[in-house]
Amino acid sequence: MLTYILGYSQCIPGTGPSTTTSTSSRTSTATTLSTRTTSVTSSRTSTTATATGTQACTAAFTPVTASAAFAALNPGWNLGNTLDAVPDEGSWNNAPVQASTFTAIAARGFKSVRIPVTWAYHFSTQSPTWTVDPTWINRVETVVDQALAAGFYVVLNVHHDSWIWADVSASGANITAIEERFTRLWAQIGARFACKSSKLIFEAINEPVGTTQEHATELNKLNGIFLDQINKAGGYNPQRVVSLSGLGQDSIKTSQWFVRGSAYPNQPWGLQFHYYSPYDFIFSAWGKTIWGSDADKATLLQDFTLFNGNFSSIPTFVGEWDASTANTEPAARWKYFDYFIRTANRFKYSTILWDNGNDHYDRTTNIWRDPISISTLFSAVAGTTNSLADSTTDASATTQSSGATLFHKVGDAVAAQSVTYLLNGNSLTAIRNSAGTALTSSQYSISGGTVTFSAAYLSTLYTSTAAAGIKDTLTLTFSAGTPLTLQVVQYDTPTIPTTTYKLSTVGTSSDLTVPITYKGLPKVAAIKATKADGTYLSDDWTVWLGPLQQSRWTYGSWNWDATGLIVFASGLQTLQATGQTVTLLVEFFPRSVGSNAVNITFTQ
């Protein structure tokens, strides 16, 4: 999977993301964990601000506890796919970051920025010195200073190094070499940033790889090396708040194996975990485009409850989480944002939203791709009750409805249509069209949470023969919480000029773009992939999923853009490996089994 396409810098080509639960088709492995207590006491900080070691700091430093610092992070934003890009800033989908980006993020109300940094390709010497290229560490300092100047708390880390050279689980891993480079790296980071404000937090390492007690034991040792090196670097570091790491920074492995060493007991510290669950919904895998059932919510709550039970006395924040605008259906996403934040609030966990530059904030146009998601986040952080668009949550459903979109099919007579909302104790106060004009009582009515638009009003937006497309975007405001948008869409089944491809002709070494003439929402919802012999292309176990997920081709093999379907080279190779004809049923919104879809056939 290409990170700049599907949304998470953690999803390196050929690997999967860090998750805390299994896919929704299986019981969360978190449910098998029993709560334990940790023997580590709550973090502390000294009350004085005296620089130590060889660093002679002149800037002010106000000591802060880990609990207070972590609370002040809320809500936060990740500067993803930037300084963490491989091999260099600008190598992925974002240009080098500008100070104006931090100004804009602060203006929206975010309180912290996590700055992931990959150092792997910026060493000017090798073993044993591992000197960081001065140009690179200068650039990192410039970006950190820009974020601090914007008023943020800043979390600075060692990011993709975790799998590039610090993977303790790799076959034949040279643990001595890993420890040597990790030691030298944090000695230099610690020295360069020793005199920075107490608003700068160090994070030892992002999502360290490993699956066993042995791997965790080594990671616990690396956490100790991290503490040792920043303390030896001196300055304000002994009083600086730090975030230590468990395996994968997921809640399960951290709960199982994290142990904080006894050195530097006065260092203010805490933990973070990352949450991308349920995996299939967050990553739009296996046709999963719904979320919000009671079971969905119970799983999320249980994951947080178990982690909190294991580390109830340890300050904690969620360093990454997301439901990307690129991967998720709006109504389901809004429900996820709302419930996720409210659950985090319940445990007093600050959260830092992952944003790779394609997810939420468009750094080129300086706009939020889905302002409703962000508004939902802020209302939930503040404890304000949001009304939400209702949508399908039943995994056995054969059609998917959504209160974020009102669909009308080309050729159907115009009739009154209804959309349902979860008011959550609020009342609807107004509906306005994209021009800002309020709809009148003759144009819509509301009963409970159901809004019905009159046929007379809808006929001003489309007719049975009108061209397909988005006809208007309405804004609904409520007595409290975020406003919601409703796209009014005239749709028809998209068309594809070429429906058969011969793999021996198109080849499998590069991506293939299949042009699509969209007729409605310009996006692909899912793909059902079936071999000529009737079996599934992959993931036979999806037979146990609902009708909208069975035989759906998962991420990493395909994507879509405004021009059409993109079948990645890896996907073409999968098709070729079958040795037979494969049919892709490409599905669009609104989703309904057997309709609003087109077939593409791949022959050998």
Side-chain angles (χ1 to χ4, degrees), residues 533-591:
D533 62 9
T535 60
Y536 296 173
L537 173 62
S538 58
D539 301 317
D540 289 347
W541 59 267
T542 59
V543 69
W544 303 108
L545 302 182
L548 291 172
Q549 287 194 260
Q550 292 170 356
S551 190
R552 269 43 174 208
W553 210 11
T554 193
Y555 82 90
S557 296
W558 65 275
N559 199 16
W560 55 269
D561 63 16
T563 66
L565 172 68
I566 303 166
V567 183
F568 297 143
S570 60
L572 294 172
Q573 291 157 16
T574 298
L575 296 171
Q576 185 181 56
T578 65
Q580 58 182 293
T581 297
V582 178
T583 299
L584 303 183
L585 181 67
V586 184
E587 302 171 325
F588 305 90
F589 292 105
R591 292 189 71 190

Side-chain angles (χ1 to χ4, degrees), residues 75-78 101-110 112-113 152 322 325 333 337 353-375 377-378:
W77 179 81
N78 270 277
T101 293
F102 296 121
T103 301
I105 299 302
R108 185 58 187 85
F110 286 93
S112 64
V113 170
F152 289 117
D322 195 20
T325 60
R333 177 170 64 252
F337 264 60
L353 178 68
W354 180 257
D355 190 353
N356 74 354
N358 286 333
D359 293 325
H360 299 289
Y361 184 66
D362 186 328
R363 301 182 208 169
T364 302
T365 62
N366 300 315
I367 62 170
W368 292 95
R369 289 183 167 82
D370 178 18
I372 302 304
S373 293
I374 303 304
S375 179
L377 182 159
F378 276 97

Side-chain angles (χ1 to χ4, degrees), residues 64-74 112 153 198 201 241 350:
V64 60
T65 64
S67 294
F70 286 6
L73 300 175
N74 208 28
S112 64
Y153 267 82
S198 57
I201 295 170
V241 175
S350 292

Side-chain angles (χ1 to χ4, degrees), residues 35-36 255 303-313 347 349:
T35 299
R36 66 173 173 81
S255 294
D303 290 343
F304 277 54
T305 299
L306 288 170
F307 186 90
N308 185 71
N310 289 323
F311 299 106
S312 58
S313 65
F347 295 98
Y349 292 163

Side-chain angles (χ1 to χ4, degrees), residues 45-50 59-66 68-69 153 195-200 236 239-241 268:
T45 185
S46 60
T47 57
T48 60
T50 303
F61 187 95
T62 303
V64 60
T65 64
Y153 267 82
C195 295
K196 298 297 182 185
S197 157
S198 57
K199 283 191 167 185
L200 176 62
Y236 295 129
Q239 302 166 81
R240 187 174 306 285
V241 175

Side-chain angles (χ1 to χ4, degrees), residues 13 132 136 160 172 203 231 363 370 374 376 429 441 501 524 529:
V132 176
W136 180 247
H160 290 310
E203 171 190 333
N231 274 270
R363 301 182 208 169
D370 178 18
I374 303 304
T376 300
T429 58
S441 58
Y501 290 87
V524 174

Side-chain angles (χ1 to χ4, degrees), residues 171-189:
S171 177
N174 186 331
I175 300 301
T176 300
I178 290 172
E179 291 177 357
E180 177 189 88
R181 194 183 325 194
F182 194 73
T183 298
R184 288 294 303 133
L185 177 56
W186 270 111
Q188 293 169 85
I189 297 172

